[in-house]
Amino acid sequence: MVCLLRLCSEHKLNCIFLAEIPRPAPALLRLWCAPSTASRLAGESRPVLRFPRASSPVLRSPLRRAPSPPLGGKRAPGRRFPRLPQARRDPRVGGVSRSRSAGLTKLPVASRALRSFLAGVSERGWAGMGKLLALALVGIVVALIGERIVSVRNSICASREVQPKRLPSCHLVKGIEFGSEDIDILPNGLAFISSGLKFPALKSFAPDKSGEILLMDLNDKNPRPTELRISRGFDVASFNPHGISTFIDKDDTVYLFVVNHPQHKSTVELFQFVEEDNSLVHLRTIRHELLTSVNDIVALGTDSFYATNDSYFTEPILTFLAIFLGLPWTNVVYYSPKEVKEVAKGFYIANGINISPNKQYVYVADAQGHNIHVFEKHANSSLTPMKVLQLDTLVDNISIDPDTGDLWVGCSPNGKKLFFYDPENPPGSEVLRIQDILSEKPTVTQVYVDDGSELQGSSVAAVHANKLLVGTIFHRALSCDL
């Protein structure tokens, strides 16, 4: 083989092309040289090596297209610069294989799909393209809606069925017919019960009856609930109680905080309990822009509390949309006359809330998330997340055993039955007891389960002196001996 690189080096030529030429080729190779531009400017006559046509048998190696002759140079008569074939690449490494005669032979999958797509566009035109895009868009929307429907069904445990697990000594409480959504028991055994809640999308057996606060003395052998009379000046007709919480002051004065939904708005009503005549004295109504959709409350003092907002929106249709899209936008708010602030967020439906007996930890139930969040409480009332206990049911209100610190949780095992009420297939009830929640492996015990034949839609479970009270959103209440 004769290498032109050596030839150029020996004769000090400006090499335009470098190629390997077979041995007989030098006899057939026709060369012409012209001074390079740099040489001409320097006054030198240094030739530049050129090549003939690519069709010549001399040149068969793939070469790049030759540039135009240098300034002052002329093209040899009848000579053309070589028209060279495209470079070949190995198709096994994703390259493109081309030949001078056959053209494009292989393309990657994506390139072939693109060429096919563009060919289809040119054949069908833009009208067909618009229909194709519209059809694709409809398919995407249908797929997204289907995914959300499946997700929502899972979040409300729509397919869950339970087997009854009842306690040996239980009976329905007489005098409670239209709900017992939340229960708070004082250390002396007096139980406050909120009754008559009217809530969007939930069943109500007495839609025209105003709500009420009931009182039961669990020290009695056969306790019966009595309605607490509310002082004048309070709008009893629009009273729609939801979550409740009590606080005992240093002078043993009992304060009752009640979440109220007059005209489906959210307020917190502060009452003082007068035990002598079983009455409630209304002290004030609390409203704030951060208290938009309050569900439950836990009192911290005579005028301060934590409250959960179970919806980011106030309109029912937007609330439904947030649940459907799975938006974790609900929160916990701290309220005091001096400061109101958000202290926790990121819940799907922030529901029940309570505080440990030593006032160091706060527990928040996320109904749609099927879990209970544990927070550490600080001196400035801010909360730091510690852990999340995952469950497999819709958790509602949380009660604390003052002696052991155990959590008692009222749950709904199937949210579909709760929201789409069918008297032939009513929603069931479930009570969980959680021990050692701060440990790595808390103990979760299913204390009571019913398929709705005895108790429908449980929302709270509270204990006192070996007695268990189970409340419901719109049904009755159950009393059991432990």
Side-chain angles (χ1 to χ4, degrees):
M1 302 296 287
V2 179
C3 181
L4 291 183
L5 178 61
R6 183 182 304 171
L7 182 63
C8 291
S9 175
E10 292 177 356
H11 296 277
K12 298 182 179 179
L13 300 178
N14 293 332
C15 298
I16 305 304
F17 298 107
L18 299 178
E20 290 186 347
I21 304 175
R23 289 185 181 277
L28 302 176
L29 182 63
R30 299 175 183 180
L31 304 174
W32 63 273
C33 300
S36 67
T37 304
S39 299
R40 189 172 61 255
L41 292 177
E44 301 177 0
S45 178
R46 182 175 295 174
V48 178
L49 185 61
R50 300 290 180 181
F51 284 89
R53 295 175 179 269
S55 59
S56 172
V58 176
L59 300 178
R60 293 305 182 192
S61 299
L63 302 175
R64 296 187 179 179
R65 184 181 297 277
S68 300
L71 295 176
K74 295 183 179 180
R75 231 184 251 276
R79 300 298 183 188
R80 296 178 62 186
F81 291 99
R83 182 185 181 96
L84 302 177
Q86 297 291 336
R88 294 180 181 271
R89 298 181 189 174
D90 190 349
R92 290 173 298 179
V93 293
V96 178
S97 176
R98 296 176 181 267
S99 66
R100 294 179 61 188
S101 58
L104 184 64
T105 59
K106 293 184 179 180
L107 280 174
V109 176
S111 300
R112 294 200 300 272
L114 178 61
R115 288 174 64 88
S116 176
F117 175 75
L118 294 177
V121 172
S122 61
E123 292 175 0
R124 293 187 296 270
W126 290 109
M129 179 63 179
K131 293 180 180 179
L132 182 62
L133 290 177
L135 183 61
L137 182 61
V138 170
I140 292 173
V141 171
V142 170
L144 290 176
I145 292 176
E147 185 275 333
R148 291 315 310 161
I149 291 176
V150 173
S151 178
V152 170
R153 284 182 57 85
N154 292 334
S155 69
I156 64 174
C157 303
S159 301
R160 187 183 180 208
E161 298 293 338
V162 295
Q163 295 297 324
K165 180 182 179 181
R166 295 169 180 157
L167 295 172
S169 178
C170 293
H171 66 274
L172 294 174
V173 178
K174 295 181 179 180
I176 299 180
E177 305 292 337
F178 309 120
S180 45
E181 203 281 334
D182 202 4
I183 300 172
D184 200 356
I185 304 176
L186 297 178
N188 61 6
L190 294 179
F192 294 88
I193 304 169
S194 65
S195 180
L197 173 66
K198 269 74 68 179
F199 201 75
L202 291 180
K203 179 68 176 177
S204 175
F205 291 122
D208 299 326
K209 186 178 184 299
S210 61
E212 55 189 3
I213 301 296
L214 304 177
L215 183 69
M216 281 183 62
D217 189 350
L218 299 182
N219 298 308
D220 294 344
K221 186 175 182 180
N222 296 308
R224 296 287 300 270
T226 57
E227 180 182 357
L228 293 178
R229 181 174 53 86
I230 301 178
S231 61
R232 294 182 180 181
F234 180 75
D235 186 5
V236 178
S238 64
F239 191 37
N240 189 14
H242 198 165
I244 62 175
S245 180
T246 58
F247 181 80
I248 302 176
D249 203 358
K250 295 179 180 180
D251 59 358
D252 293 333
T253 302
V254 177
Y255 295 90
L256 178 67
F257 293 77
V258 181
V259 176
N260 188 21
H261 300 294
Q263 293 82 40
H264 299 293
K265 298 179 181 179
S266 288
T267 64
V268 175
E269 310 294 343
L270 178 57
F271 297 94
Q272 180 180 335
F273 172 59
V274 181
E275 187 174 358
E276 289 76 13
D277 56 359
N278 285 344
S279 66
L280 296 173
V281 178
H282 184 248
L283 301 179
R284 58 182 296 203
T285 297
I286 300 172
R287 297 182 179 89
H288 195 273
E289 59 183 6
L290 292 182
L291 301 174
T292 55
S293 181
V294 184
N295 183 297
D296 197 15
I297 189 172
V298 56
L300 301 176
T302 59
D303 54 4
S304 61
F305 54 84
Y306 290 122
T308 58
N309 286 311
D310 58 16
S311 175
Y312 181 82
F313 304 100
T314 57
E315 297 79 4
I317 185 63
L318 294 180
T319 298
F320 170 78
L321 184 62
I323 295 174
F324 182 77
L325 296 177
L327 303 178
W329 288 359
T330 66
N331 61 359
V332 177
V333 174
Y334 167 75
Y335 177 90
S336 72
K338 297 180 179 180
E339 183 182 24
V340 183
K341 60 182 179 181
E342 180 185 71
V343 292
K345 60 181 180 180
F347 308 96
Y348 294 102
I349 300 180
N351 203 320
I353 186 171
N354 217 320
I355 193 168
S356 62
N358 59 10
K359 313 301 180 184
Q360 294 183 1
Y361 305 100
V362 174
Y363 312 113
V364 181
D366 188 341
Q368 191 177 359
H370 307 166
N371 50 44
I372 294 178
H373 295 248
V374 181
F375 296 89
E376 183 180 5
K377 180 181 177 293
H378 301 286
N380 61 355
S381 300
S382 62
L383 300 178
T384 300
M386 292 185 59
K387 64 180 298 184
V388 178
L389 177 62
Q390 196 65 38
L391 304 168
D392 61 353
T393 186
L394 278 72
V395 288
D396 202 328
N397 291 319
I398 302 172
S399 297
I400 306 297
D401 187 329
D403 299 325
T404 64
D406 296 344
L407 280 67
W408 290 78
V409 188
C411 309
S412 293
N414 188 317
K416 178 185 175 183
K417 296 181 180 181
L418 189 66
F419 291 109
F420 302 94
Y421 184 80
D422 180 4
E424 301 299 325
N425 188 20
S429 298
E430 185 176 14
V431 174
L432 300 180
R433 180 186 183 184
I434 303 173
Q435 299 170 282
D436 302 321
I437 192 170
L438 298 177
S439 65
E440 293 184 0
K441 294 183 179 181
T443 302
V444 181
T445 305
Q446 197 178 50
V447 177
Y448 173 86
V449 184
D450 186 66
D451 58 3
S453 58
E454 182 178 49
L455 195 68
Q456 302 177 11
S458 61
S459 58
V460 63
V463 294
H464 174 77
N466 295 325
K467 285 188 177 294
L468 171 66
L469 276 181
V470 183
T472 64
I473 300 174
F474 51 79
H475 195 228
R476 306 186 66 181
L478 190 72
S479 177
C480 301
D481 294 331
L482 295 175

